[in-house]
Amino acid sequence: FQLAYERDPSDASAREGILDTQLRLRLYRDFTEHMARDEFFAVAEGYERATYFAKTRQWGPLLISVFRWETSGLVWYLALAALVTGLCWLIFILHAGRAGGWNTTEQALVPVAFLLGIFSTYLTIFAIWVTDEFIPFDRLAPTMINNIIHMTAGVALREELLKLLCFAPLAFVPGRGRDTQMLVLASIVGLGFAAAENYSYYVDAGSIAVLGRFLTANFLHMALTGIAGFAFARAVTYGGERWADFLEAFGLAVLIHGIYNFLLSDQTV
């Protein structure tokens, strides 16, 4: 590719090949030097641009790049499948929470909570790029202990923290209602995250992932975000010892999530 580029600098395929080769060989210094040049940046794909922004610590452009990359090339029927499964669980939880009797403010927060959950997936992907620059969990030796650490302190902590961060503004909305409403809204944030994450799994695994994700992932994210968000809302409202209760609930959510991820992914047991 380098020889082809030297013969014809306008050859886009040669420039693409150089960037791809440098990434596969982890030649990040050469990669970032090339990406800093307009002719190479112009042919770079989403993954290459995100890598460049991460390696050069350009966090704002990285966030924008991640969002554009993840939303480009949407497969409509897979997105529809993820949305339908999410709506099934949404109807269930709204019925269980007696949402028909909520006030106007509380009902208006339902779609907001779902969209915040979807947005939290983009924050999570962004956080993966950032944390991998400082704590490369993927380079740990594939032992059972390291996998537990990765799935708990890496994946689970990151996802639960960012889902909670997206739910947090709802706990401060005037007229937001009682504890039950906060439990339901926090769960809906988790459901929004699950719906967006399901789409990614459907793209990778196809229809074979639909049933499993419907029965496990949706409920898991709803329940864990509901537990943590409910405890957070009570801490905001009542203060005092409720903050200790929140930390305990959040830690429990992270631990359960980590164990779930470990049991699904570990190959060492």
Side-chain angles (χ1 to χ4, degrees):
F1 292 114
Q2 184 64 39
L3 291 175
Y5 171 70
E6 291 174 356
R7 286 195 301 268
D8 182 11
S10 65
D11 186 348
S13 62
R15 283 174 281 157
E16 292 171 358
I18 289 172
L19 295 176
D20 181 65
T21 300
Q22 289 171 339
L23 276 184
R24 285 190 290 105
L25 298 178
R26 299 183 181 237
L27 302 175
Y28 294 125
R29 177 177 296 181
D30 294 335
F31 172 76
T32 55
E33 289 177 354
H34 279 94
M35 282 291 293
R37 297 158 59 180
D38 291 341
E39 64 267 29
F40 280 90
F41 189 86
V43 300
E45 298 181 350
Y47 177 81
E48 292 165 337
R49 293 189 179 192
T51 302
Y52 170 66
F53 291 135
K55 294 299 178 183
T56 55
R57 308 292 196 268
Q58 299 183 58
W59 307 128
L62 173 61
L63 179 59
I64 296 172
S65 179
V66 165
F67 181 79
R68 288 177 175 173
W69 179 27
E70 290 296 322
T71 54
S72 64
L74 190 70
V75 183
W76 70 267
Y77 59 89
L78 295 178
L80 181 62
L83 182 61
V84 168
T85 56
L87 288 177
C88 290
W89 281 102
L90 180 62
I91 293 170
F92 166 77
I93 194 170
L94 289 177
H95 178 73
R98 302 179 184 274
W102 293 8
N103 64 43
T104 303
T105 299
E106 294 162 351
Q107 291 180 347
L109 291 178
V110 169
V112 174
F114 192 78
L115 291 174
L116 284 172
I118 293 175
F119 179 66
S120 70
T121 62
Y122 300 112
L123 290 183
T124 299
I125 296 169
F126 168 72
I128 291 172
W129 284 93
V130 174
T131 54
D132 281 355
E133 287 301 305
F134 302 98
I135 311 174
F137 285 109
D138 61 331
R139 298 183 191 176
L140 293 173
T143 64
M144 184 175 70
I145 297 299
N146 284 344
N147 288 342
I148 292 174
I149 293 173
H150 180 201
M151 290 300 163
T152 305
V155 177
L157 176 60
R158 183 166 51 212
E159 291 185 3
E160 294 305 324
L161 182 61
L162 290 172
K163 287 187 294 178
L164 180 65
L165 178 64
C166 286
F167 164 75
L170 303 184
F172 296 93
V173 173
R176 60 177 173 75
R178 301 171 298 278
D179 291 344
T180 300
Q181 284 80 346
M182 286 294 99
L183 173 62
V184 172
L185 290 172
S187 299
I188 292 173
V189 172
L191 181 60
F193 179 96
E197 186 182 58
N198 285 345
Y199 170 75
S200 297
Y201 276 89
Y202 297 167
V203 170
D204 292 337
S207 59
I208 193 173
V210 173
L211 181 60
R213 297 290 300 178
F214 175 77
L215 294 175
T216 60
N218 291 282
F219 177 77
L220 178 81
H221 283 292
M222 272 197 334
L224 297 183
T225 310
I227 291 171
F230 173 72
F232 177 80
R234 285 178 62 83
V236 169
T237 302
Y238 304 112
E241 295 181 357
R242 299 300 183 187
W243 286 107
D245 295 340
F246 158 67
L247 292 177
E248 181 179 348
F250 180 74
L252 179 63
V254 172
L255 180 60
I256 293 174
H257 194 164
I259 293 173
Y260 171 84
N261 287 341
F262 170 76
L263 293 176
L264 282 183
S265 63
D266 188 71
Q267 303 296 322
T268 64
V269 178

